[in-house]
Amino acid sequence: MKTADHRSRRFSGTKFYGDSGKSSTTSVRLPGGIGEFGLLYVYPFQLFGGTLGTSVATGFGWGNITVNGKRQNFKGMNDLYTDVLTWSKHLGPVDAGMPRGLTVKLDYSMVIPIGKYNTTDLYTTGQNTYYYIPNAALTYLTGPNALGDGTEFSVHFFLDVAGKNTARNYTNGLVADVDVAISEIIGRWQVGVAGYYARQFTDDKMNGQPVPGGNRFASAAVGPAVAYNIPECKCSIKFKAQFSVFTRNSLAPNAAYLFVNKAFN
């Protein structure tokens, strides 16, 4: 089976936060957007009773950035994100077409640097860096309750291992990330809240040596999420907003996402 995922994202940031987690004296403004398109292929066989798949996604970014009064417009291709191989298995019953109980998912993903990159730009849509990302997810759907057709709990763990940016001889440190969501299914609607927390555990390096202070990144955000399923066309539409609640050594990100998914068979 093949599915297509079209994603539009608007993002913005107005403050840069330093190593202490407090707003720095650096003035930054970054409004922009990203349009993405992805494909997922599900293989016509199973492994250990689970489903196997491969996905790819990329897009085009645009916007402008202002740092301490210096403004620059940007636009260009993003890097390619791929779930090189994903395996998932549902361990509970199926009730009226809904997968009650626990679903387990294991992935090996990568970011492949095909996006636009320039060392002299204030912001680039590509990172000129390979990322190797083992990750795993757990999703649990309850039975019907007083609120609707079931409550869904999900948690997704990522480990981001960066390669070297050869243009700058710079390597980002190891980052762990957890995404969580709680939502209620009500007919065709799914409404809830989603968020993430990411933290860097090793220092950045330049020319093989740790950079002063380590430049360790951290970020957390949370916001509402709502989805609408359209089984007649095997489609779904999802909107999600994320508002920054904590940032370290990064621009505090606020973002809004619109996803449109379509299954081909």
Side-chain angles (χ1 to χ4, degrees):
M1 182 179 73
K2 296 180 181 179
T3 63
D5 174 16
H6 177 73
R7 179 183 314 173
S8 178
R9 177 174 65 169
R10 297 290 298 177
F11 58 88
S12 66
T14 56
K15 293 182 178 180
F16 185 88
Y17 289 78
D19 192 61
S20 66
K22 296 181 179 180
S23 178
S24 76
T25 57
T26 302
S27 173
V28 181
R29 185 173 183 271
L30 176 62
I34 296 174
E36 293 186 352
F37 181 81
L39 287 172
L40 166 65
Y41 178 76
V42 179
Y43 295 97
F45 55 86
Q46 293 188 330
L47 178 66
F48 303 122
T51 301
L52 291 170
T54 296
S55 71
V56 293
T58 189
F60 189 87
W62 66 90
N64 62 78
I65 182 171
T66 304
V67 179
N68 293 333
K70 182 179 179 181
R71 176 186 168 103
Q72 176 188 298
N73 295 323
F74 62 86
K75 62 181 179 180
M77 288 295 297
N78 301 120
D79 292 335
L80 178 74
Y81 183 91
T82 174
D83 291 320
V84 179
L85 189 63
T86 177
W87 176 87
S88 63
K89 184 175 182 178
H90 176 58
L91 302 177
V94 176
D95 175 24
M98 302 183 71
R100 308 289 182 183
L102 183 66
T103 299
V104 179
K105 183 180 178 184
L106 303 175
D107 284 335
Y108 173 67
S109 306
M110 291 182 66
V111 173
I112 299 175
I114 66 169
K116 183 179 179 181
Y117 181 79
N118 191 326
T119 57
T120 61
D121 288 347
L122 296 175
Y123 181 88
T124 61
T125 55
Q127 301 302 310
N128 195 44
T129 303
Y130 282 91
Y131 283 87
Y132 311 93
I133 312 170
N135 58 98
L138 300 172
T139 301
Y140 188 90
L141 178 62
T142 71
N145 53 47
L147 297 177
D149 299 316
T151 304
E152 183 178 276
F153 303 88
S154 67
V155 58
H156 200 159
F157 301 95
F158 299 85
L159 190 63
D160 301 341
V161 183
K164 181 186 292 185
N165 181 340
T166 54
R168 299 179 57 217
N169 204 21
Y170 196 97
T171 304
N172 292 318
L174 183 69
V175 174
D177 171 33
V178 57
D179 294 2
V180 296
I182 301 174
S183 60
E184 182 72 21
I185 298 174
I186 309 169
R188 296 187 176 194
W189 292 91
Q190 188 167 0
V191 181
V193 61
Y196 73 85
Y197 175 71
R199 181 178 178 184
Q200 184 174 330
F201 288 92
T202 62
D203 293 344
D204 287 359
K205 293 183 178 181
M206 177 171 278
N207 300 319
Q209 300 298 318
V211 301
N215 196 32
R216 296 193 183 191
F217 159 84
S219 179
V222 67
V226 58
Y228 183 75
N229 294 310
I230 312 172
E232 295 85 354
C233 68
K234 298 182 180 180
C235 305
S236 67
I237 301 172
K238 180 179 179 180
F239 173 80
K240 180 172 72 171
Q242 298 273 265
F243 302 99
S244 176
V245 295
F246 172 74
T247 305
R248 187 176 70 188
N249 285 321
S250 180
L251 186 69
N254 297 310
Y257 305 81
L258 180 65
F259 305 83
V260 179
N261 295 289
K262 163 68 177 173
F264 293 128
N265 56 27

